[in-house]
Amino acid sequence: MSIREELNQWMLDNLTGEFEKIRWRGGPGDEDSSPELRRAWEQKFGEAGWIGLQWPKEYGGRDLSLMDFVEFNEEYARHGGPGRAGHIGETLMAPTILAYGTEAQKERFLPGIKNGSELWCQGYSEPNAGSDLSNIKTKARLEGNHWVIDGQKIWTSLAHESDWIFVIARAEEGTKGRDGLVFLLVELDQPGIDIRPIHQISGTAEFNEVYFTEAKAEASNIIGEVGEGWKIAMALLGFERGASTLGQQMMFQNELNLIIKTANENGRADDPSLRRRIAEAHAGLKVMRFNALRMLNGTQDGSTSKEGYISKIFWATWHRDLGELAMDVIGADAEIIEDELSPLQKLFLFSRADTIYAGTNQIQRNIIAERALGMPKEPRGNTNG
Amino acid sequence: MPPFPFQEDHEMIREAVKGWLSDWEDGGKTLHRVAKEGQGFDRAAWEGFARDQGMAGISIPEQYGGADMGLLGRTVIMEETGYTLFSAPFFSTCVLAADMIEAFASEDDKTDLLGKIASGDIIISVLDGREKLSLKDSKLNGTLSPATDAAHADLILVAAKDENNDVVLTGYSPNTAGLSVTPYASLDPTRSQAKVSFENVALSDGQAIGKANDVAFSQILQIAHGSLAAECVGGGQRCLDMTLDYTNQRVQFGRQIGSFQSVKHKCADMFIALESARSASYFAASPDLDNDHSAKFEAALIAKNYASEAFFKIAGDAIQMHGGIGFTWEYPLHYFFKRARGNRALFTSSEDGFQMLADEIGLKSHASAISGE
Ligand SMILES: Cc1cc2nc3c(=O)[nH]c(=O)nc-3n(C[C@H](O)[C@H](O)[C@H](O)COP(=O)(O)OP(=O)(O)OC[C@H]3O[C@@H](n4cnc5c(N)ncnc54)[C@H](O)[C@@H]3O)c2cc1C
């Protein structure tokens, strides 16, 4: 049986009963929907052996090939599989541990990700380290058997739902920029950590400020060496791209279908300018899919192929435009909120974040110009935030 | 490793064609010559390319004497001819005409005409007269323009609708009684355009190629047009390459202009447009679609329209990034800008193309609701 058939059967048998409620829910921008249920789903999913399929067999994976993994993700999305509570752990943390972690770290952390019991969040951004991520001020010092951490992270998605956070911090006094950083794994449930939700554009709160006041992490919970924090942090971001983008596209397709349905129902399918925009959105999505196939087939070693650089800005901009299109297709009625934000209203508001997180569109253009096109580097100022 | 989704043999063809075309183009000099002579056509070069290099038959099936390298094969060629604006009827003859003949002609005509196309021994111009030509009492009347590559065609393959709304495809020698071909200057001087008039031209004076259902004809036509996406990608790549070279050397305010963020971001946007157009083009040519006619049609619609919009934007931005130099005749960028504008408007315009796509994806318009009844 192909992986697609295997998953198809399992989804038919298991995405039922109480889990019906979270079908198509909980994706980016919808993460506030039924967190408890999605946590339960993550564990069910993990127990069935669906997490970590690409990992080597010795760590409980299946060494799944890239194209099989693509199929797997598409099949999951085709069923309206709920947004995965464990996606940061599986797609970012696990590959980083597999690539840079010690044997003991693999034994300690991979099983929790694999069985869906330990959820992770990403502690990179700080008030003065956004696009300029290396301007990290959070400090870490080694005292006996522990790292002691002081400082503040911000915009930390799902910290309030998570068990662990990976943190970049400055471990060497007096260092600047990319030097002297460490990459630490920190348990959230402890007295030294204070998580304060931030309400966002939608009125809900999926991201947070995370304050560290003498927070502790075991001395062994460092990935790489002192001074290698930047290297590890960047490698982790490299894992962000990948087969899961094709699953994401199934969700996009679903949103576009909803827009087409709306336009047919309210008669705006007749408006030539909206017709053209919807057709262009459809074309953009097909292009996105082939962009991804080119990217995934381009390099086997995880490095970015030249065309791979356009992936983030392309989907982010496409999705943001889709949100605007959705509102224009609904027209004045889009102003009305019934009970809660509708899926298309959510799309409109949340897609504004797509062009900000994981490297803003401006930063993406800098990266394309410098790395894909070899243009001169941005000059750096010396005013420190 | 060849770039996805190409194979080793495609890349060998690409290398060969690239070198040959770059010699031909001679850093823009040849484009000036072609433009000056005012024909948009370089016969000697075409014969060299089609016959000596054997490129005319790239996607013609083997049984008719071609290399049978399919849509990917022609994509490679059109990307490279776009990069150099090769002024020759590859698209008209080896893509459009070849596809029409393969889809609708009899076995004998296929053997004859596809064989001649493959050996580089015939130039065919395809004219879609379904809207503008009248076909009554087996006579054609009306004028078609712009007629790409008709000025030097050995055979004019014209489509017209008969009383039953079927499409009748007929091939004419340019000397046929009542048929006149008037070349004229094209806004894009590297492409040959003409006006073709039909005055009581008898069907019986031409070679009956075939009959087709209107929808089937449109689909084959659009699939052929999809290959123009590759020309747009090649042309867009050239504009970006020229812009990167220029912004790298030009200094203003004591800096390379390529170090200004607004210039970098413009180039990044050009790259995004180019690479996504490339995906659209490769997608339409991808062998995965081979057995699915309607997916192929949709992919071709997307490719042609997406890529021609991208090419136009890239070419316009390239002129802006060059300042005054970009506005001169001497600097060859304007030829690309003009080709880009032509590709957006010719065959099917982008506007019409996206409206067709809207129908394809199930947007119910009032108009299609009526015609559907
Ligand atoms: C919904 C959401 C979820 C997030 N989740 C997380 C998370 O889980 N973990 C985490 O660590 N972070 C997270 N972030 C933070 C995100 O990564 C940052 O917001 C992002 O990196 C931008 O940083 P900033 O907000 O400080 O903006 P700034 O960097 O201050 O940018 C402000 C503006 O200046 C522009 N700009 C900055 N530098 C340049 C430059 N060199 N050239 C041109 N323009 C420039 C930017 O493009 C932007 O338009 C999240 C953000 C959002 C919106």
Side-chain angles (χ1 to χ4, degrees), chain B residues 184-260:
Chain B
Y184 59 78
S186 167
L187 182 68
D188 167 5
T190 63
R191 173 148 56 193
S192 151
Q193 298 291 15
K195 187 180 294 186
V196 180
S197 298
F198 295 81
E199 248 189 81
N200 287 320
V201 175
L203 284 185
S204 56
D205 284 351
Q207 182 179 358
I209 299 295
K211 262 197 178 188
N213 158 288
D214 193 32
V215 174
F217 182 85
S218 287
Q219 291 209 347
I220 300 292
L221 192 68
Q222 291 304 328
I223 290 170
H225 290 172
S227 297
L228 272 174
E231 180 177 291
C232 295
V233 169
Q237 180 73 59
R238 183 62 177 280
C239 291
L240 179 58
D241 287 353
M242 289 204 271
T243 304
L244 291 174
D245 280 349
Y246 187 74
T247 56
N248 194 30
Q249 16 158 317
R250 172 72 175 166
V251 173
Q252 287 288 278
F253 298 94
R255 296 161 60 172
Q256 291 158 285
I257 58 170
S259 69
F260 293 115

Side-chain angles (χ1 to χ4, degrees), chain A residues 270 282 291 365-366 370, chain B residues 264-265 269 279 298 351 366:
Chain A
D270 220 13
H282 173 84
N291 277 344
R365 289 190 178 94
N366 287 345
E370 291 170 18
Chain B
K264 287 168 67 176
H265 283 196
D269 285 340
S279 288
E298 188 196 299
E351 185 55 40
H366 195 57

Side-chain angles (χ1 to χ4, degrees), chain A residues 259-295:
Chain A
I259 292 172
I260 293 173
K261 184 164 169 274
T262 306
N264 278 334
E265 281 166 8
N266 72 12
R268 288 198 173 80
D270 220 13
D271 174 333
S273 92
L274 285 175
R275 286 169 64 76
R276 173 160 182 164
R277 283 169 64 194
I278 295 170
E280 282 180 325
H282 173 84
L285 189 54
K286 293 283 184 198
V287 165
M288 198 187 300
R289 186 182 146 79
F290 215 72
N291 277 344
L293 289 176
R294 284 175 62 208
M295 185 174 89

Side-chain angles (χ1 to χ4, degrees), chain A residues 32-45:
Chain A
D32 60 324
S33 82
S34 317
E36 284 311 316
L37 207 50
R38 285 198 297 116
R39 219 184 153 114
W41 173 256
E42 183 73 15
Q43 291 185 15
K44 193 178 176 75
F45 199 65

